[in-house]
């Protein structure tokens, strides 16, 4: 008996912002964004929050699973942009789905969070006796990016994805690899707001509370981490790269995938790519891609798939599983 993905769901906000829309208020162009990143459009939340988007993706995954809310034993929300710190985003999601009682918490490992969340959930399913877990990735990046910084704001979008994990007769998760190396230069940085108190003048406000990134450094890390992660999870599972039907990479930049494909000697069509439509949705990136691929009929039972993510920290994670 393995731990497998039973169903998926996703939610993308209605508002679609094109590269040309961004060029109306930024010194940028559709040509620059398309050739440097592969991004054409992104969805931006209007009136939605990380909690509401997460709840909608989760509700879809739950409905497709055929389970009732009281069969969910564990709820984890992966997010880097929580709309609340109290209660947790996962508690809001759980409440929206009327899941009466379940272990519930949020995690933040930046863009690697969803893979970490699945790994944590599967360990808890093995040790705590849980049968079904709801894992959500949801991010409202539009709230944490600096809309005047053309080198970061063009990269991100908002959205949520979800997956239900269950114990069944598939092999499910075959191997995983989680890592985080020291980010000596804060290549990806976003501080929480700190206000002065009656006891301290210390404050963190303004630009430091928005995402800043040394793009080329992060890209070098991503390419390196990508390659290492693929080698480790395939070796751990005793699987060859050619046996894998589809790879779901964190959708950060199409050039990272071109480089990874070249380095690994594989075709680009081995990667599921939706970055052109949804851009970088941080913790939601992988579950959105999984859900889009599943609804497009690109996944069939028994397929071997790989998830790979990298991001702030500098964190990375990969997982090999049977669909
Ligand atoms: O999820 C977290 C993980 N994040 C990532 O994996 C992101 C990884 N990095 C990247 O995707 C790329 O590094 C970027 C897309 C962010 C940047 O691409 P790049 O090829 O590394 O460009 P660059 O930063 O070296 O900038 C090249 C030029 C600069 O101008 P100068 O200094 O050469 O005159 C930038 O100012 O492009 C300029 N530039 C832009 N021009 C038009 C930067 N952003 C823009 C823009 N439009 N939006």
């Amino acid at each position: 008996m393995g731990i497998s993905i039973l169903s998926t769901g996703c939610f993308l906000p209605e508002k679609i912002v094109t590269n040309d829309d961004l060029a109306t208020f930024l010194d940028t162009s559709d040509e620059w964004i398309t050739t440097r990143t592969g991004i054409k459009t992104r969805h931006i939340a209007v009136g939605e929050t990380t909690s509401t988007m997460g709840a909608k993706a989760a509700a879809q995954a739950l409905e497709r699973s055929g389970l009732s809310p009281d069969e969910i034993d564990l709820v984890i929300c992966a997010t880097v942009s929580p709309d609340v710190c109290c209660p947790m985003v996962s508690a809001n999601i759980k409440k929206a789905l009327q899941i009466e009682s379940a272990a519930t918490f949020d995690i933040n490992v930046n863009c690697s969070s969803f893979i970490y969340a699945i790994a944590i959930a599967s360990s808890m399913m093995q040790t705590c006796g849980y049968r079904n877990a709801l894992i959500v990735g949801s991010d409202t990046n539009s709230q944490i990016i600096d809309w005047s910084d053309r080198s970061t704001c063009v990269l991100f979008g908002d959205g949520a994805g979800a997956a239900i994990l269950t114990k069944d007769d598939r092999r499910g998760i075959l191997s995983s690899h989680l890592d985080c190396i020291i980010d000596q230069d804060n290549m990806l940085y976003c501080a929480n707001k700190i206000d002065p108190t009656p006891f301290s003048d210390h404050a963190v406000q303004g630009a430091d509370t928005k995402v800043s990134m040394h793009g080329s450094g992060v890209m070098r890390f991503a390419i390196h981490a990508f390659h290492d992660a693929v080698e480790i999870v395939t070796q751990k599972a005793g699987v060859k790269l050619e046996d894998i039907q589809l790879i779901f990479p964190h959708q950060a930049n199409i050039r990272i995938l071109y480089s990874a494909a070249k380095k690994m000697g594989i075709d680009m069509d081995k990667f599921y790519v939706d970055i052109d439509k949804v851009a970088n949705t941080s913790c939601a990136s992988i579950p959105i891609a999984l859900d889009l691929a599943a609804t497009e009929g690109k996944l069939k039972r028994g397929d071997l798939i790989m998830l790979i993510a990298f991001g702030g920290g500098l964190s990375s994670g990969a997982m090999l599983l049977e669909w």
Side-chain angles (χ1 to χ4, degrees), residues 27-29 32-33 36-37 111 150-151 154-156 188 213-216 218-219 222 250 252-253 255-256 280 282 310-312:
D27 181 14
T28 191
S29 64
W32 192 95
I33 302 170
R36 296 291 182 122
T37 70
C111 298
R150 67 177 183 171
S151 65
V154 303
L155 306 173
F156 292 96
L188 261 162
M213 180 168 67
H214 296 293
S216 53
V218 175
M219 198 138 109
H250 172 44
N253 188 323
R255 283 158 55 211
I256 295 173
N280 182 342
S282 298
F310 45 82

Side-chain angles (χ1 to χ4, degrees), residues 43-87:
H43 293 251
I44 298 294
V46 178
E48 296 286 350
T49 64
T50 299
S51 293
T52 61
M53 292 192 299
K56 286 174 185 172
Q60 192 174 56
L62 183 64
E63 192 195 328
R64 288 176 180 165
S65 73
L67 298 173
S68 64
D70 63 3
E71 289 176 280
I72 301 295
D73 308 304
L74 171 65
V75 180
I76 305 178
C77 182
T79 181
V80 53
S81 55
D83 53 308
V84 284
C85 65
C86 183

Side-chain angles (χ1 to χ4, degrees), residues 109-253:
V109 197
N110 290 190
C111 298
S112 310
S113 301
F114 192 77
I115 294 175
Y116 269 71
I118 296 187
I120 294 166
S122 73
S123 300
M124 292 180 74
M125 289 166 82
Q126 275 156 352
T127 55
C128 303
Y130 300 146
R131 180 151 193 106
N132 303 303
L134 166 63
I135 317 297
V136 184
S138 183
D139 268 312
T140 318
N141 288 317
S142 58
Q143 287 296 321
I144 58 167
I145 52 181
D146 175 355
W147 283 101
S148 66
D149 176 6
R150 67 177 183 171
S151 65
T152 53
C153 76
V154 303
L155 306 173
F156 292 96
D158 299 334
I164 307 263
L165 294 185
T166 196
K167 287 177 180 161
D168 65 13
D169 57 6
R170 286 176 284 169
R171 290 187 297 160
I173 298 167
L174 300 176
S175 65
S176 58
H177 168 66
L178 308 174
D179 197 12
C180 186
I181 62 164
I182 294 171
D183 182 1
Q184 208 74 55
D185 304 314
N186 279 341
M187 286 200 279
L188 261 162
Y189 188 74
C190 180
N192 282 329
K193 185 166 168 271
I194 296 179
D195 291 323
T197 68
F199 317 102
S200 162
D201 291 336
H202 179 59
V204 178
Q205 283 152 354
D208 280 350
T209 64
K210 299 290 176 184
V211 172
S212 64
M213 180 168 67
H214 296 293
S216 53
V218 175
M219 198 138 109
R220 271 196 303 278
F221 159 71
I223 291 166
H224 199 72
F226 203 109
H227 187 254
D228 286 356
V230 170
E231 279 208 345
I232 292 169
V233 286
T234 46
Q235 258 172 36
K236 273 189 186 176
V239 163
K240 292 197 191 75
L241 206 46
E242 51 267 35
D243 298 331
I244 297 166
Q245 272 76 35
L246 210 45
I247 299 175
F248 291 85
H250 172 44
Q251 310 279 324
N253 188 323

